[in-house]
């Protein structure tokens, strides 16, 4: 026999703990073990269309006149995206994720403070100090409340 219950009024991005108590027609009682679940974080109502992006490494030459005595190498990700939202995005949190295989090695966050109007294309160019172990860089976006923005590929 399978039973189910629908829960309502749960908070997003919240850890819940529960047990199930039951009793059959003969009066036999049962108590389940301890179980947990996490409700998903809320998604932003905004949508972005990624126009293009690329990542790589940049080397900045040494310039003794500026006080740099050795070359520096940076990881970067750059590209452009278009707002597919019906409302203006007030601020945008861009997160550059640096991976070694499936392991997140480091990340860099940039806040785009200018409003992004519906249909507007904006550019991003984020960099961080190089880590030679990094073999992939990705980008993700969140609104000013920190809610993940859906990104569609062009």
């Amino acid at each position: 026999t399978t039973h189910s219950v629908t829960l309502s009024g749960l908070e997003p991005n919240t850890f819940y703990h529960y047990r199930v108590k039951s009793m059959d027609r003969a009066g036999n009682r049962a108590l389940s073990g301890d179980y947990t679940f996490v409700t998903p974080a809320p998604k932003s109502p905004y949508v972005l269309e990624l126009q293009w992006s690329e990542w790589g490494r940049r080397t900045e030459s040494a310039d003794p006149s500026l006080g740099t005595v050795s070359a520096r190498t940076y990881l970067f990700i750059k590209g452009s995206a278009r707002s597919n939202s019906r409302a203006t995005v007030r601020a945008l949190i861009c997160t550059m994720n640096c991976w070694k295989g499936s392991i997140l090695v480091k990340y860099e966050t940039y806040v785009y403070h200018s409003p992004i109007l519906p249909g507007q294309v904006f550019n991003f160019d984020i960099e961080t100090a190089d880590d030679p172990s990094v073999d992939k860089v990705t980008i993700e976006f969140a609104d000013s409340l920190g809610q993940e923005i859906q990104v569609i590929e062009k």
Side-chain angles (χ1 to χ4, degrees):
T1 304
T2 301
H3 301 281
S4 67
V5 100
T6 300
L7 302 174
S8 61
L10 301 177
E11 293 293 319
N13 201 27
T14 303
F15 180 83
Y16 287 93
H17 170 89
Y18 69 97
R19 285 184 166 187
V20 177
K21 293 181 183 181
S22 65
M23 182 171 59
D24 64 17
R25 290 182 187 192
N28 299 312
R29 296 175 186 259
L31 178 64
S32 74
D34 295 326
Y35 294 97
T36 60
F37 67 94
V38 177
T39 53
K43 293 273 187 174
S44 172
Y46 303 109
V47 178
L48 297 176
E49 181 181 284
L50 189 61
Q51 303 290 297
W52 67 275
S53 69
E54 69 175 88
W55 76 273
R57 288 178 165 84
R58 287 185 187 130
T59 300
E60 182 181 276
S61 301
D63 187 344
S65 68
L66 296 175
T68 55
V69 292
S70 62
R72 294 182 183 178
T73 302
Y74 296 91
L75 288 163
F76 73 89
I77 188 164
K78 65 180 180 175
S80 67
R82 183 174 70 84
S83 173
N84 275 10
S85 304
R86 293 179 184 217
T88 299
V89 180
R90 298 288 173 204
L92 187 68
I93 302 167
C94 308
T95 304
M96 170 188 187
N97 296 309
C98 303
W99 304 88
K100 177 183 179 185
S102 62
I103 298 169
L104 182 63
V105 176
K106 65 189 294 187
Y107 64 91
E108 191 72 37
T109 302
Y110 172 78
V111 179
Y112 188 92
H113 292 283
S114 299
I116 302 168
L117 302 173
Q120 180 181 346
V121 174
F122 67 94
N123 298 316
F124 56 89
D125 188 348
I126 306 169
E127 60 183 34
T128 188
D130 188 27
D131 179 328
S133 71
V134 170
D135 57 16
K136 181 173 78 173
V137 176
T138 59
I139 185 90
E140 60 186 40
F141 302 96
D143 63 21
S144 59
L145 298 175
Q147 296 174 333
E148 181 184 353
I149 293 178
Q150 178 186 354
V151 177
I152 53 177
E153 301 281 333
K154 181 175 177 183

